[in-house]
Amino acid sequence: MDNAIELAIKTSSLTKQFGSQKAVNNIDLSVPKGSVFGFLGPNGSGKTTSIRMILGLAEASQGQVQLLGHPIPKELELALPKVGALVEGPAFYPYMSGRNNLIRIDSADRFADSKTRAERVDAALERVGLTNAAKKKVHAYSLGMKQRLGLANALLKPREILILDEPTNGLDPQGTREVRNLIRSLANEGITIFVSSHLLSEIEQLCSHLAVMTAGKIVAQGSIEELRKESQTRLILKSDRIDEVVDLLKQQGLSKLSLTPDRIVAPVPGDFDVASLNQLLVKKKFMISEIRLEQPSLEEYFVNLTGEGFEVVR
């Protein structure tokens, strides 16, 4: 994964300093091609500043960026035509139609082919499900429709990567579902999706990989499955005669037991044999009302790393 050819985005020691404050502090991102990569962190953690440096919209104080194998900003013009971006919300003329807004934006792109403009605009609108609203003025669009129009703008030309900054911010549940389903369909086409969010539920539902950022630093990074394995599996046990059960568990080598009047929680290895323990407890005539292994949520893992909570549901 360290080979730049296999990475859509790679940063090394990327830093952005404002006066004495480091808004982004030495971050190393590795975004695999073809992944749906979540950039998770509380608001104000430095995500948007990082994205702006990746896209060449802000100058790095130090460090390097490679975007689709191209050093940024040196080869920005080679990389950008392959990149679609939605950063800090789409901006459109409210009293122009969705279609005319896209035509205006495409006309301002010196790399865009004017001969195929109308065809490409119509194709992008169809791709995001806005064909029937193409002639409607944007001020009459819902927030979800505006976000989809922003994605249509990012898709006016074939893209290898989409960079989306808080794409569901401010949307109601229906708008959120619309944008989420669209992102999934684009990922299925093989486009690398890089999506920032402060919503853990969003990242868990959409992403194959993620990086967690807090106070300008990346504190965890990898595939969702790799990060789940970082958290400690625990045994949950409910029974009568709790004190006797505790003694038995200690004899089995379990320690750091957490107790309530009818419940025991104990950290265990991921391959712990809960069936054999259950057989032993039944053999010793304990009344077992619950016995199971539990993997702590990603939220618990991230809170332990960062000391901060993430919004889990809308």
Side-chain angles (χ1 to χ4, degrees):
M1 196 163 110
D2 290 333
N3 188 330
I5 295 173
E6 299 175 352
L7 296 176
I9 299 171
K10 180 176 177 61
T11 73
S12 303
S13 304
L14 189 62
T15 300
K16 182 64 175 179
Q17 190 157 344
F18 298 101
S20 61
Q21 180 187 5
K22 287 184 177 178
V24 177
N25 190 355
N26 267 331
I27 68 168
D28 298 329
L29 272 173
S30 295
V31 180
K33 283 189 176 179
S35 66
V36 182
F37 192 98
F39 198 26
L40 178 68
N43 290 328
S45 58
K47 303 189 303 296
T48 297
T49 301
S50 301
I51 289 171
R52 290 178 63 81
M53 287 189 287
I54 289 168
L55 289 170
L57 299 173
E59 186 179 355
S61 301
Q62 67 181 56
Q64 292 81 43
V65 176
Q66 283 199 333
L67 183 57
L68 295 172
H70 298 285
I72 302 299
K74 184 179 178 182
E75 296 183 6
L76 189 63
E77 290 194 355
L78 295 175
L80 281 189
K82 306 171 191 172
V83 180
L86 183 60
V87 181
E88 295 176 326
F92 299 107
Y93 288 110
Y95 291 98
M96 288 175 61
S97 69
R99 187 175 189 277
N100 285 341
N101 263 285
L102 294 188
I103 287 173
R104 177 189 63 83
I105 292 168
D106 196 68
S107 300
D109 182 354
R110 62 192 175 94
F111 298 108
D113 183 356
S114 60
K115 295 177 183 176
T116 61
R117 181 164 296 135
E119 181 183 342
R120 288 185 291 103
V121 165
D122 290 339
L125 287 166
E126 182 178 359
R127 203 170 183 187
V128 302
L130 286 178
T131 298
N132 291 337
K135 296 180 181 179
K136 183 185 290 188
K137 290 182 171 59
V138 166
H139 74 84
Y141 279 21
S142 67
L143 275 175
M145 292 168 72
K146 288 176 183 175
Q147 288 293 81
R148 284 190 283 149
L149 188 62
L151 284 166
N153 174 40
L155 294 167
L156 284 172
K157 292 187 289 190
R159 308 294 190 182
E160 292 183 28
I161 181 170
L162 286 179
I163 297 178
L164 310 175
D165 188 18
E166 299 278 2
T168 63
N169 203 24
L171 299 187
D172 61 17
Q174 177 60 31
T176 298
R177 278 193 297 273
E178 290 172 3
V179 172
R180 187 183 295 144
N181 289 337
L182 178 57
I183 290 172
R184 286 196 185 103
S185 70
L186 294 170
N188 288 337
E189 295 175 19
I191 299 172
T192 304
I193 312 284
F194 181 89
V195 54
S196 82
S197 181
H198 64 285
L199 296 169
L200 176 57
S201 58
E202 187 107 314
I203 296 302
E204 282 195 279
Q205 289 184 57
L206 279 176
C207 298
S208 58
H209 296 71
L210 66 86
V212 183
M213 193 166 191
T214 184
K217 295 182 178 180
I218 290 177
V219 293
Q221 183 171 198
S223 73
I224 294 280
E225 289 309 310
E226 286 169 348
L227 293 175
R228 284 191 195 282
K229 290 174 184 174
E230 292 290 325
S231 54
Q232 175 71 61
T233 303
R234 55 200 179 198
L235 172 71
I236 309 294
L237 175 61
K238 289 185 180 181
S239 177
D240 64 343
R241 297 154 51 202
I242 279 287
D243 290 342
E244 294 176 53
V245 175
V246 167
D247 290 339
L248 185 145
L249 293 178
K250 288 180 177 177
Q251 291 168 21
Q252 300 301 308
L254 300 184
S255 58
K256 298 181 181 178
L257 306 180
S258 173
L259 304 178
T260 66
D262 70 338
R263 188 172 187 257
I264 301 170
V265 180
V268 294
D271 59 354
F272 183 78
D273 189 351
V274 71
S276 295
L277 175 62
N278 189 40
Q279 287 180 336
L280 178 61
L281 291 166
V282 170
K283 183 179 178 181
K284 292 187 176 290
K285 311 261 191 249
F286 289 104
M287 295 289 294
I288 307 301
S289 57
E290 181 180 6
I291 183 168
R292 61 186 171 85
L293 296 181
E294 179 180 86
Q295 197 75 21
S297 68
L298 283 177
E299 183 193 16
E300 290 179 71
Y301 173 58
F302 296 151
V303 168
N304 288 337
L305 281 173
T306 67
E308 298 182 75
F310 296 92
E311 291 187 41
V312 180
V313 294
R314 272 200 170 276

